């Protein structure tokens, strides 16, 4: 079959649960489930009561603690996603249901509930296609795996007949461990470039560290430890209540991220969707949005030719996979969206590049590219700060690692001394009971 539009696919029994929710927040659960198919009476008037009753039966089938009349905007992200699944499930002709990175914003318990629903659909003879870069999920939920690399189909294998290492090799051509060991690192670390002394804000307390030119400085710690908040204070996104920031030994004060950019300090944020991309603009405009002054004359008129040249350079330098610089950025993969954001900031010729969870939500192939890029940035003399929750990643890429705990710096570890156990021990809060058990042991 060849579907000319999504409606034809839906009519044939194929539904997709997208990575980003496709629901109407101001409508109720029942209205979202039956959108475009609301029951009507003999006069053609919508029968809200019947819609609520029908939705209640589906909610009961799924075992969810929500009501048909609840506004979707009042539900958690996990339950909003469940509403999308129930919408597909409510179609009588449903035969194939596709999930695109459904667990990206879910907790472990919410993921387990999602898997319960998927198994229920499978037991009802529905065909499930599950797109994910998380290896643990692939092995937990699938029967077969189709592997893609650089937009091309590689092979389909039975999940029970391969391990994680084999899948990674199919995707990137080597083991992830080999990728770290094969990186071309900068052996020459320069002078201190950025120094932060006793920085405090409403979210962090008395944080001090230094960053050298040509160095990759890792920041590790549990969620909520204050890593992102420290960087937000450095670039002026959050107000510093005390402390100072020095660049090349000179004190600077950034009241906003724009001030930080003028000083050559830029941040690639963790939340790509909310703080990174401009979803309604194309690739060209997303790359150029921080270079408007560079590409305009004294009257403020933009030179479109310069913008296209900069976009083409960014696409080439960062290997952004897009058919055109005029492609809407939301139509690219997460990894390519992230490359556009990095290209945007590198176009401003920064001296300090802060990467906050740069490989979050992208596949292992794109991760390997980012690892090489990070090392190349350091070789060019940039000071790179890498915030990552993935311990192998922060250990494999960093020259030094700052570990944060409870909104403070808990310790500093050199690359050669870094192990996952050591970083976890520094990053975890130790209670009196834990300490007593350790002393007794």
């Amino acid at each position: 079959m060849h579907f000319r539009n999504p409606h034809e696919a839906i009519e044939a029994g194929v539904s997709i649960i997208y990575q980003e929710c496709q629901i109407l927040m101001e409508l109720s659960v029942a209205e979202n489930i039956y959108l475009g198919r609301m029951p009507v009476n003999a006069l053609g008037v919508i029968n809200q009561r019947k819609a609520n009753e029908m939705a209640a039966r589906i909610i009961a089938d799924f075992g969810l603690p929500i009501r048909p009349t609840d506004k979707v905007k009042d539900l958690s992200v996990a339950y909003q996603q469940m509403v999308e699944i129930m919408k597909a499930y409510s179609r009588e002709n449903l035969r194939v249901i596709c999930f695109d990175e459904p667990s990206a914003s879910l907790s472990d318990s919410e993921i387990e509930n999602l898997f319960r629903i998927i198994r229920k659909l499978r037991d009802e003879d529905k065909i499930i296609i599950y797109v994910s870069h998380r290896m643990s999920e692939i092995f937990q939920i699938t029967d077969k795996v189709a592997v893609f690399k650089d937009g091309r189909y590689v092979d389909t294998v039975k999940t029970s007949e391969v391990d994680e290492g084999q899948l990674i090799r199919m995707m990137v051509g080597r083991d992830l461990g080999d990728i770290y060991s094969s990186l071309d690192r900068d052996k020459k670390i320069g002078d201190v470039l950025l120094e932060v002394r006793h920085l405090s804000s409403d979210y962090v307390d008395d944080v001090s560290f230094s960053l050298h030119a040509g160095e990759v400085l890792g920041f590790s710690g549990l969620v909520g430890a204050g890593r992102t908040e420290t960087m937000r204070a450095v670039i002026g996104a959050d107000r510093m209540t005390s402390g100072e920031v020095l660049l090349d030994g000179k004190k600077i004060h950034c009241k906003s991220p724009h001030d930080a950019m003028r000083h050559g300090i830029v941040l690639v944020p963790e939340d790509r969707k909310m703080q990174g991309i401009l979803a309604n603009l194309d690739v060209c405009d997303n790359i150029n949005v921080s270079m408007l002054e560079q590409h305009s004359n004294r009257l403020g008129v933009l030179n479109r030719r310069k913008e296209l040249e900069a976009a083409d350079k960014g696409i080439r330098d960062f290997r952004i996979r897009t058919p055109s610089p005029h492609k809407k950025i939301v139509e690219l993969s997460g990894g390519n969206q992230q490359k556009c954001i990095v290209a945007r900031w590198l176009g401003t010729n920064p001296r300090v590049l802060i990467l906050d969870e740069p490989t979050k939500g992208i596949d292992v192939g794109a991760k390997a590219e980012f690892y090489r890029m990070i090392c190349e940035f350091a070789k060019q003399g940039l000071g790179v700060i890498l915030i990552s929750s993935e311990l192998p990643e922060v250990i494999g890429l960093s020259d030094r690692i700052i570990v944060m705990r409870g909104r403070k710096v808990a310790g500093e570890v050199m690359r050669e001394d870094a192990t996952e156990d050591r970083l976890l021990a520094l990053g975890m809060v130790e209670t009196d009971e834990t300490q007593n058990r350790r002393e007794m042991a």
Side-chain angles (χ1 to χ4, degrees), residues 47-109:
N47 189 332
Q48 189 71 52
R49 181 181 58 80
K50 185 176 180 180
N52 290 341
E53 290 173 355
M54 292 161 60
R57 286 195 290 272
I58 295 177
I59 293 170
D61 284 346
F62 278 56
L64 300 176
I66 59 177
R67 296 169 298 183
T69 54
D70 289 341
K71 285 280 185 74
V72 169
K73 68 178 181 180
D74 297 327
L75 304 180
S76 68
V77 172
Y79 287 139
Q80 289 175 3
Q81 195 168 57
M82 289 300 172
V83 171
E84 285 209 78
I85 297 172
M86 289 190 290
K87 180 177 181 178
Y89 181 77
S90 69
R91 299 188 178 108
E92 294 181 358
N93 68 336
L94 178 66
R95 300 171 65 191
V96 179
I97 183 165
C98 312
F99 294 85
D100 184 8
E101 298 280 5
S103 64
S105 303
L106 305 184
S107 67
D108 288 345
S109 61

Side-chain angles (χ1 to χ4, degrees), residues 319-322 329 332-341:
R319 300 178 184 177
I320 299 168
R321 294 190 172 275
T322 176
I329 194 167
L332 302 187
S333 68
N336 284 301
Q337 290 178 10
Q338 191 79 317
K339 288 179 184 179
C340 289
I341 300 169

Side-chain angles (χ1 to χ4, degrees), residues 405-424:
R405 182 182 70 216
R407 310 197 310 172
K408 296 182 178 182
V409 172
E412 178 180 316
V413 183
M414 298 301 294
R415 175 201 290 160
E416 55 269 22
D417 301 323
T419 64
E420 293 190 27
D421 288 346
R422 185 167 184 183
L423 297 188
L424 281 171

